[in-house]
Amino acid sequence: MISYFFVCREHLEKMTHWFHRNPLKATAPVSFNYYGVASGPAASKICSDLRSSRARLLELFTDLSCNPEMMKNAADSYFSLLQGFINSLDESTQESKLRYIQNFKWTDTLQGQVPSAQQDAVFELISMGFNVALWYTKYASRLAGKENVTEDEAKEVHRSLKIAAGIFKHLKESHIPKLITPAEKGRDLEARLIDAYIIQCQAEAQEVTIARAIELKHAPGLIAALAYETANFYQKADHTLSSLEPAYSAKWRKYLLLKMCFYTAYAYCYHGQTLLASDKCGEAIRSLQEAEKLYAKAEALCKEYGETKGPGPTVKPSGHLFFRKLGNLVKNTLEKCQRENGFIYFQKVPTEAPQLELKANYGLVEPVPFEFPPTSAHWTPETLAAFDLTKRPKEDSTKPKPEEVVKPVKEPDIKPQKDTGCSIS
């Protein structure tokens, strides 16, 4: 298999990336105080550790100094403790008696500050896991937007997006089906949204692969095939969102559509180079004309994206270097083909654009498999026995309030560089 991340770094051209991001999920504080129910020092310590590890994990989501190792350690610490509220200690299929002791409230990435609430520790596991996956996408985006990105950092962008895809996939396949209350339509945990997140992560990771293949001067046919597969990913992600309410999905869909047009233009541009190398100059010109048309469409979608209200950043992607570089490439390649046709080939330019039937054999991205950590060793049969559910107050004050507002997460305001970006080199 071709390695896209091992090569001499001399004279590699700078590549850039820009990614749309939805907001992090916000959550109501959880005290894990069970007066009367939890007795003894071991049970009290479990509750205290749950409270502190949850607070620590939430803090890291917006800490710019946080790296993947810190995130994994903090997430494992909290999830291993939370598992005691979900799984039985004897590893049977029986659930923990504490699964429904606590009500958890979480907002959604698209639907504002009114939270979903479930009295179910599985809902907490999924929602916090979802935010961990979002953190990896935001970390990748932040790293891709800084100046002078090293080769190792470029690999980290690539890997972080694959990790995020793996987390989303694991939640969808192994945990969301266990919810007693199914996900509401249009909420983060329903299939359409989580599928869109998985596919977007794969597509963005493939953007890094394409950039690397271009810099290493791989065959235009391979680059065209990778670009075409990536465009198809974006089209598929957009299709999964097509039945959602436009009021909160429109901006995200503009991003997916502009990336689809952008990478289809890339595919036609590099396919044109392949045709020219095969002395099919007339077809090459038509392929480049199609690339030009799709680039113009992507440019129009960039403007629409910037004007569309909804979750996500307010930026002008058409001014970003990643976008402008393709425009110059298409223009220069088309002019070269037209010159050569006028001097050498004298071939007729077809009226129909060539059909792209391209399949990449290398470089396709698969999610990194993910598993939650096992139950913490602090959970013992004696610790579990120290929680007496018969002593719960009769009047349960944890019932969700219908329209309760959860404060949104204050995220660092990271603006993409206009003339610099992710240097995949």
Side-chain angles (χ1 to χ4, degrees):
M1 176 171 287
I2 295 173
S3 169
Y4 292 98
F5 295 110
F6 181 74
V7 73
C8 174
R9 297 184 59 198
E10 289 179 16
H11 311 303
L12 294 183
E13 186 181 3
K14 194 176 188 75
M15 294 301 293
T16 67
H17 296 279
W18 165 78
F19 304 131
H20 166 93
R21 292 292 174 258
N22 292 324
L24 286 164
K25 295 164 74 68
T27 182
V30 179
S31 68
F32 294 102
N33 287 329
Y34 306 114
Y35 300 114
V37 174
S39 60
S44 296
K45 180 160 186 357
I46 285 274
C47 292
S48 172
D49 289 350
L50 275 164
R51 183 167 56 250
S52 61
S53 61
R54 187 181 198 260
R56 172 62 177 156
L57 185 51
L58 292 172
E59 282 173 8
L60 285 181
F61 288 144
T62 55
D63 184 347
L64 292 179
S65 68
C66 181
N67 59 41
E69 184 182 4
M70 292 166 65
M71 177 53 61
K72 185 179 188 312
N73 290 340
D76 284 355
S77 175
Y78 179 59
F79 290 138
S80 65
L81 289 167
L82 188 64
Q83 295 280 27
F85 275 42
I86 297 169
N87 301 317
S88 64
L89 297 183
D90 59 6
E91 297 185 356
S92 69
T93 54
Q94 191 176 350
E95 64 192 26
S96 168
K97 69 179 183 180
L98 302 176
R99 176 172 171 180
Y100 307 106
I101 194 174
Q102 177 69 51
N103 191 65
F104 296 96
K105 303 183 186 73
W106 283 90
T107 63
D108 288 87
T109 54
L110 298 184
Q111 292 205 27
Q113 295 176 42
V114 178
S116 299
Q118 291 195 33
Q119 192 135 334
D120 187 348
V122 171
F123 178 66
E124 167 74 356
L125 183 81
I126 295 165
S127 299
M128 190 69 85
F130 198 103
N131 246 19
V132 171
L134 287 176
W135 179 86
Y136 275 101
T137 71
K138 288 171 181 280
Y139 176 75
S141 182
R142 195 161 62 242
L143 202 55
K146 63 178 281 194
E147 292 186 48
N148 303 318
V149 177
T150 66
E151 184 175 335
D152 285 342
E153 287 170 331
K155 291 180 191 178
E156 204 159 349
V157 172
H158 193 255
R159 180 164 176 79
S160 294
L161 290 166
K162 293 196 296 179
I163 290 172
I167 296 172
F168 286 129
K169 187 170 185 282
H170 182 64
L171 295 177
K172 180 195 172 189
E173 294 176 353
S174 301
H175 297 281
I176 291 174
K178 294 178 184 175
L179 288 171
I180 303 299
T181 306
E184 301 168 52
K185 287 192 180 298
R187 297 286 187 173
D188 285 341
L189 306 189
E190 74 126 312
R192 291 175 295 178
L193 271 84
I194 207 155
D195 279 343
Y197 276 113
I198 293 168
I199 299 164
Q200 180 179 335
C201 287
Q202 289 177 278
E204 290 175 347
Q206 278 190 198
E207 289 192 45
V208 181
T209 304
I210 291 166
R212 195 63 173 165
I214 291 169
E215 289 174 345
L216 304 191
K217 296 181 169 49
H218 280 299
L222 174 60
I223 296 167
L226 283 169
Y228 185 59
E229 301 265 20
T230 303
N232 287 341
F233 265 139
Y234 279 117
Q235 184 177 38
K236 185 178 176 185
D238 175 65
H239 181 71
T240 66
L241 298 178
S242 61
S243 55
L244 288 178
E245 179 60 46
Y248 54 82
S249 64
K251 193 176 188 74
W252 192 5
R253 289 193 64 199
K254 291 290 183 192
Y255 167 77
L256 298 170
L257 283 168
L258 79 84
K259 282 291 184 83
M260 181 196 76
C261 288
F262 183 81
Y263 279 98
T264 309
Y266 245 121
Y268 272 110
C269 180
Y270 279 89
H271 185 56
Q273 293 183 26
T274 304
L275 290 168
L276 181 61
S278 304
D279 296 326
K280 297 177 181 178
C281 196
E283 291 178 45
I285 290 171
R286 185 62 188 87
S287 191
L288 267 298
Q289 288 172 341
E290 194 67 16
E292 197 172 46
K293 185 172 81 173
L294 284 159
Y295 180 79
K297 186 177 179 183
E299 196 166 30
L301 284 165
C302 282
K303 186 180 179 186
E304 291 174 25
Y305 173 87
E307 294 171 350
T308 302
K309 292 182 179 179
T314 303
V315 296
K316 294 180 179 178
S318 58
H320 198 278
L321 183 57
F322 98 95
F323 191 85
R324 291 184 286 116
K325 286 179 80 74
L326 176 61
N328 292 334
L329 180 65
V330 170
K331 178 175 176 289
N332 294 338
T333 310
L334 177 57
E335 287 175 356
K336 178 188 175 184
C337 289
Q338 287 170 333
R339 276 196 311 272
E340 297 205 8
N341 202 43
F343 280 109
I344 304 167
Y345 295 102
F346 305 105
Q347 293 175 359
K348 185 179 178 182
V349 177
T351 54
E352 294 293 323
Q355 289 294 310
L356 292 180
E357 296 176 358
L358 307 170
K359 188 76 180 169
N361 296 317
Y362 304 103
L364 296 178
V365 168
E366 287 297 327
V368 171
F370 174 81
E371 292 284 341
F372 283 108
T375 305
S376 168
H378 292 297
W379 281 105
T380 64
E382 293 73 27
T383 308
L384 189 61
F387 288 84
D388 187 351
L389 295 182
T390 64
K391 295 181 179 177
R392 293 178 74 185
K394 287 183 181 178
E395 197 61 44
D396 193 349
S397 61
T398 64
K399 291 291 182 186
K401 297 170 186 176
E403 293 296 317
E404 185 174 355
V405 173
V406 172
K407 291 180 181 178
V409 179
K410 289 184 178 178
E411 298 189 51
D413 185 19
I414 304 297
K415 290 185 171 64
Q417 304 283 345
K418 184 173 181 183
D419 294 313
T420 60
C422 183
S423 172
I424 313 298
S425 61

